[in-house]
Amino acid sequence: MSNDSKRTTIRDIAEVLNLSVSTVSRALQGNSRISKETIDAVKRTAEKMDYYIHGPAAALRKGHGNNIGVVVPRVDRQFFSNIIGGIEEVLRTNGFNTFIYQTQESYENEKSGVQAMLNAGVEGLMISVSVETKDISHINRFSRSGRPVVFFDRCMDDSETCRVMIDDFAAAYKATEHLLANGCRKLVYFGGTQNLFMYRNRREGFEQALLDHGFAPGDIHVIDGMLTRKKGYDSFRELYEAKQIPDGLLAASDFSALGSILFMKEVGISVPDDVCVVGFANESFTEFMEPPLSSIEQFAGEMGKKTAEMMLRRFTGVQSAETIILNSELKIRKSSQRTIK
Amino acid sequence: MSNDSKRTTIRDIAEVLNLSVSTVSRALQGNSRISKETIDAVKRTAEKMDYYIHGPAAALRKGHGNNIGVVVPRVDRQFFSNIIGGIEEVLRTNGFNTFIYQTQESYENEKSGVQAMLNAGVEGLMISVSVETKDISHINRFSRSGRPVVFFDRCMDDSETCRVMIDDFAAAYKATEHLLANGCRKLVYFGGTQNLFMYRNRREGFEQALLDHGFAPGDIHVIDGMLTRKKGYDSFRELYEAKQIPDGLLAASDFSALGSILFMKEVGISVPDDVCVVGFANESFTEFMEPPLSSIEQFAGEMGKKTAEMMLRRFTGVQSAETIILNSELKIRKSSQRTIK
DNA sequence: TATTTTTGTGGAAACGTTTGCACAAACTTT
DNA sequence: AAAGTTTGTGCAAACGTTTCCACAAAAATA
């Protein structure tokens, strides 16, 4: 494979300058025991000789490197890419590189990815699990290596873990109240898979809001497993064909909300006049679709920062598991606003 | 930092089984000189002792690892994330990990990223440069290490490099002809920065199509530097305020097309009746915005695969620089279709 | 039976760094 | 001027692998 014959090592620099490798190594690190002149000379020749550090060797000797792994379901969701942006920002300023791996929502890929990170010797892992993930032994394996793991958004319901999450319950509760305030009386909730903590929280927020407003448990209509546009489309069609059309829809994902709206357009159901819709995640397309979709803004960039900061805290010795819950905000747009009949 | 005291090494396995480290190493690799029984025993105990390879050490000794770096402007563009998907797919099946780094369109970040990849010891680099990038000495530095570099999409105009690109010229040409066929006579092109090869190609495709259809060079209206939604919005407003409203718009980016359309909606210009619009990249939002936006589908997944395959070819000794041009397809939607007056 | 070949294993060096320890030379302090 | 301290540098071991070389035992050939 790659022919490394060209690589300049500190030994080469040492020979050129008639120094020992230890001095060169120290000089490159700016060690205070080394004289200014030597440091300058070393750095100049290093530059001249096109030297760059051999990370793996340094990592081997030091016992740790400066790469941190991030595993996400998919990077093409604005939500995740914004989180990644936040993570990268704080990690970069702390001297770490961020390595990203996407699982494409596959449990198998997730296992490979986590293992690859372990093998690659990253210092820590931040992960948002796939929808398929029920078992986290692959992640526990990573933990057993003594390196920190921080979950974000898609967390497991395990109090032993470090987590950064949204106030999913509160967000869903608030969105539900908003639908009620706009005159909806027959609400449906399109949820995610129940093995993920956050989706359970959202569902509970929806249910609790209805209960608190005098609805009977039997009036609460929930359909789970709805994360994609296609699922949203199909599920709403089923409601339509069963003549069970609601007048308010809360979707745990902007994409399933989108799918539903596309179906409604086809059959002439008006949003928001016939059905009010609220999504989750505030993907940027929500703003310019027709009608613009109300959604829960989750401040993904902020979440990324908090996640990275929690990771850095692990490095400095904090041991106890912590959970951070971040606020969200309901962005009200046309899809859920109407004059009450 | 991470306390590695818990790590199991091949030496530990060797002690437990009363074998030498060399035998254990070979057994783990399935070397044919080692007996079936030994291999089984080693693998079983490795599993039991929770052993996983120390990648950096192996990389150090072997002179190469199995990680490959991908540097992209941003992962939240569908286009790029689909490319990444394609890359990961072929790399994974060939035993490589993919490390992704996003530059956020910043030249400084790009430099850090490429350097980080070099330090991390990746075996090769696939890169799509930032809009700010004019100089590629940082990438040449990587090349000088003897490792292959493959550019994709955002390539430099340098015949020494390996590249995978879209037929940008043909795509823009085709889209322009489509606008003409729909009765547009006063066309404007919103282009990208001219330091990038691909944007020059697109622009030339637009210009050539007009020339070939009898337009004078003076009739060709081009505005460059338009990659974002905001820029598209602002630029169209300028045209509007200068009373220079075109009847056809080709945008080098779906986002600038979107911005323009949002502005037109505000001032009551109808798409496609007053202005036909075609974008580039076929981001998924194009399909469900109002009206649906015609765009150039670039088959990003395919592009990713080709890019990764080219990289693998480098490893097996192919030396000469090659350029692959991929086909694109014009997706015609409502934004550019009208009955000719 | 004597020789050669195959099979399975071990010893030890090497990959490029970092760092604890040692030590000479140059300064301070008495 | 003797003792102590600081400053700048070098030696050598270590990190966890892989792989060249060697070599004994067993099997195949003569």
Side-chain angles (χ1 to χ4, degrees):
Chain A
M1 198 161 308
S2 69
N3 182 357
D4 249 8
S5 58
K6 305 175 181 177
R7 175 183 274 278
T8 303
T9 72
I10 53 171
R11 165 162 271 111
D12 299 328
I13 301 178
E15 272 169 24
V16 167
L17 292 178
N18 249 337
L19 289 169
S20 71
V21 291
S22 16
T23 303
V24 173
S25 172
R26 279 190 265 251
L28 287 170
Q29 298 177 81
N31 187 307
S32 63
R33 306 279 302 184
I34 307 295
S35 71
K36 275 265 164 293
E37 299 79 40
T38 310
I39 290 185
D40 285 354
V42 167
K43 289 197 169 167
R44 259 201 318 277
T45 22
E47 179 72 18
K48 216 162 266 154
M49 294 176 73
D50 214 32
Y51 170 83
Y52 53 94
I53 198 171
H54 191 297
L60 172 61
R61 168 59 226 226
K62 289 202 291 195
H64 64 257
N66 54 284
N67 300 319
I68 293 183
V70 178
V71 174
V72 289
R74 22 194 325 168
V75 296
D76 66 346
R77 299 300 207 217
Q78 221 111 51
F79 176 65
F80 287 118
S81 54
N82 289 342
I83 288 183
I84 291 170
I87 289 177
E88 280 180 331
E89 192 185 323
V90 350
L91 253 35
R92 201 182 339 254
T93 63
N94 282 274
F96 288 98
N97 302 315
T98 309
F99 286 150
I100 305 159
Y101 189 98
Q102 66 175 331
T103 64
Q104 315 266 24
E105 300 283 15
S106 141
Y107 178 60
E108 280 309 311
N109 285 347
E110 186 173 297
K111 285 201 290 186
S112 322
V114 171
Q115 185 63 49
M117 290 292 179
L118 197 50
N119 293 346
V122 299
E123 294 313 298
L125 181 68
M126 299 181 225
I127 185 168
S128 202
V129 301
S130 84
V131 289
E132 294 179 4
T133 304
K134 298 190 174 69
D135 171 85
I136 56 166
S137 50
H138 57 307
I139 300 173
N140 289 335
R141 170 153 217 234
F142 187 98
S143 297
R144 258 180 280 135
S145 79
R147 302 165 152 81
V149 174
V150 176
F151 288 83
F152 59 92
D153 195 55
R154 304 259 199 97
C155 305
M156 303 306 282
D157 184 9
D158 179 343
S159 53
E160 302 288 291
T161 60
C162 290
R163 300 176 292 187
V164 180
M165 314 176 59
I166 301 293
D167 58 347
D168 290 289
F169 179 93
Y173 191 99
K174 199 161 36 179
T176 308
E177 283 197 318
H178 164 71
L179 287 171
L180 293 172
N182 276 267
C184 301
R185 283 299 168 265
K186 193 164 178 239
L187 276 67
V188 166
Y189 170 73
F190 282 4
T193 56
Q194 287 302 297
N195 48 313
L196 294 182
F197 194 33
M198 56 176 280
Y199 288 122
R200 287 205 302 277
N201 288 341
R202 289 181 190 179
R203 176 178 171 161
E204 282 163 17
F206 172 76
E207 293 172 342
Q208 194 60 49
L210 289 184
L211 293 174
D212 290 354
H213 284 265
F215 285 75
D219 295 338
I220 299 175
H221 199 356
V222 163
I223 305 180
D224 276 330
M226 309 282 80
L227 289 164
T228 65
R229 180 172 144 198
K230 180 164 188 327
K231 283 282 198 173
Y233 183 97
D234 293 345
S235 298
F236 207 94
R237 191 183 49 205
E238 280 168 31
L239 290 173
Y240 177 78
E241 285 167 356
K243 304 230 186 296
Q244 293 280 347
I245 307 174
D247 62 3
L249 168 65
L250 174 60
S253 143
D254 283 334
F255 291 89
S256 58
L258 168 66
S260 309
I261 291 178
L262 290 176
F263 176 79
M264 289 188 247
K265 275 193 185 178
E266 278 180 25
V267 298
I269 297 175
S270 160
V271 177
D273 292 337
D274 299 326
V275 184
C276 286
V277 183
V278 175
F280 241 102
N282 200 28
E283 291 280 328
S284 70
F285 69 80
T286 56
E287 210 179 324
F288 48 81
M289 52 185 280
E290 200 47 53
L293 176 64
S294 297
S295 191
I296 308 280
E297 165 63 51
Q298 301 176 295
F299 305 107
E302 196 53 33
M303 187 165 194
K305 287 189 201 170
K306 293 285 183 216
T307 307
E309 284 162 7
M310 189 181 282
M311 169 78 18
L312 294 175
R313 236 174 290 137
R314 302 285 109 189
F315 290 152
T316 60
V318 177
Q319 292 302 329
S320 57
E322 37 175 349
T323 296
I324 292 182
I325 307 285
L326 295 171
N327 288 330
S328 60
E329 188 181 315
L330 175 61
K331 295 276 183 192
I332 299 171
R333 301 201 181 89
K334 198 174 157 196
S335 74
S336 65
Q337 268 180 303
R338 60 183 175 193
T339 45
I340 301 176
K341 299 167 198 178
Chain B
M1 199 158 313
S2 66
N3 184 357
D4 251 7
S5 59
K6 305 176 182 178
R7 176 183 273 278
T8 304
T9 71
I10 55 171
R11 164 162 273 112
D12 298 328
I13 301 178
E15 271 169 26
V16 167
L17 291 178
N18 248 337
L19 288 170
S20 70
V21 290
S22 14
T23 303
V24 172
S25 172
R26 278 189 269 251
L28 287 171
Q29 299 177 80
N31 187 307
S32 63
R33 305 280 302 183
I34 306 296
S35 70
K36 277 263 165 294
E37 300 79 41
T38 311
I39 290 184
D40 285 355
V42 168
K43 287 196 170 168
R44 260 201 318 276
T45 19
E47 178 73 19
K48 215 161 268 156
M49 296 177 71
D50 213 32
Y51 170 83
Y52 54 94
I53 198 171
H54 190 298
L60 173 60
R61 168 60 226 225
K62 289 202 292 194
H64 65 257
N66 54 287
N67 300 319
I68 293 183
V70 178
V71 174
V72 289
R74 26 196 320 170
V75 297
D76 65 347
R77 299 299 208 215
Q78 221 112 50
F79 176 64
F80 286 118
S81 54
N82 289 341
I83 288 183
I84 290 170
I87 289 176
E88 280 180 332
E89 190 184 324
V90 352
L91 252 36
R92 199 181 343 252
T93 63
N94 283 273
F96 288 98
N97 302 314
T98 308
F99 286 150
I100 304 160
Y101 190 98
Q102 67 175 332
T103 65
Q104 314 266 27
E105 300 283 16
S106 141
Y107 178 59
E108 280 310 312
N109 285 348
E110 186 173 297
K111 284 201 290 188
S112 323
V114 171
Q115 186 63 50
M117 290 292 178
L118 196 51
N119 294 345
V122 299
E123 294 312 297
L125 181 69
M126 298 182 226
I127 185 169
S128 203
V129 300
S130 84
V131 289
E132 294 179 4
T133 304
K134 297 189 175 71
D135 171 84
I136 56 166
S137 49
H138 57 307
I139 300 173
N140 289 334
R141 170 152 215 231
F142 187 99
S143 297
R144 258 179 280 133
S145 78
R147 302 165 152 80
V149 173
V150 176
F151 288 83
F152 59 91
D153 194 56
R154 304 261 198 97
C155 305
M156 304 306 282
D157 183 8
D158 180 341
S159 52
E160 303 288 290
T161 59
C162 291
R163 300 175 293 187
V164 180
M165 315 176 61
I166 301 292
D167 59 346
D168 290 289
F169 180 93
Y173 192 100
K174 200 160 35 179
T176 308
E177 283 197 318
H178 163 72
L179 287 171
L180 293 171
N182 275 267
C184 301
R185 284 297 169 269
K186 191 159 179 247
L187 276 68
V188 166
Y189 170 73
F190 281 4
T193 57
Q194 288 301 295
N195 49 314
L196 294 181
F197 195 34
M198 56 175 280
Y199 288 121
R200 287 206 300 277
N201 288 340
R202 288 182 189 177
R203 175 178 171 159
E204 282 163 18
F206 172 76
E207 293 172 342
Q208 194 59 51
L210 289 184
L211 293 174
D212 290 353
H213 283 266
F215 285 75
D219 296 337
I220 299 174
H221 199 357
V222 164
I223 305 180
D224 276 328
M226 309 282 84
L227 289 164
T228 64
R229 179 172 145 198
K230 179 165 189 327
K231 283 282 197 173
Y233 183 98
D234 293 345
S235 297
F236 207 95
R237 190 182 52 204
E238 281 168 29
L239 290 174
Y240 176 77
E241 286 167 354
K243 305 230 188 293
Q244 293 280 345
I245 306 173
D247 61 3
L249 168 64
L250 175 59
S253 144
D254 282 334
F255 292 88
S256 58
L258 168 66
S260 308
I261 290 177
L262 291 176
F263 176 79
M264 288 188 249
K265 275 193 184 177
E266 279 181 24
V267 299
I269 297 175
S270 160
V271 177
D273 292 336
D274 300 326
V275 184
C276 286
V277 183
V278 175
F280 241 101
N282 201 27
E283 292 280 329
S284 68
F285 70 79
T286 56
E287 210 179 322
F288 48 81
M289 51 184 281
E290 200 47 53
L293 176 63
S294 298
S295 190
I296 308 281
E297 164 63 51
Q298 302 177 293
F299 305 106
E302 195 53 33
M303 187 166 193
K305 288 188 200 171
K306 294 282 184 219
T307 306
E309 284 162 7
M310 190 181 279
M311 170 75 21
L312 295 174
R313 235 174 290 136
R314 303 284 108 189
F315 290 152
T316 61
V318 176
Q319 292 302 330
S320 57
E322 37 174 349
T323 296
I324 292 181
I325 307 284
L326 294 172
N327 287 331
S328 60
E329 188 181 313
L330 175 61
K331 296 276 183 194
I332 299 171
R333 302 200 181 89
K334 197 173 156 198
S335 75
S336 65
Q337 269 181 305
R338 61 184 175 194
T339 45
I340 302 177
K341 300 166 195 178

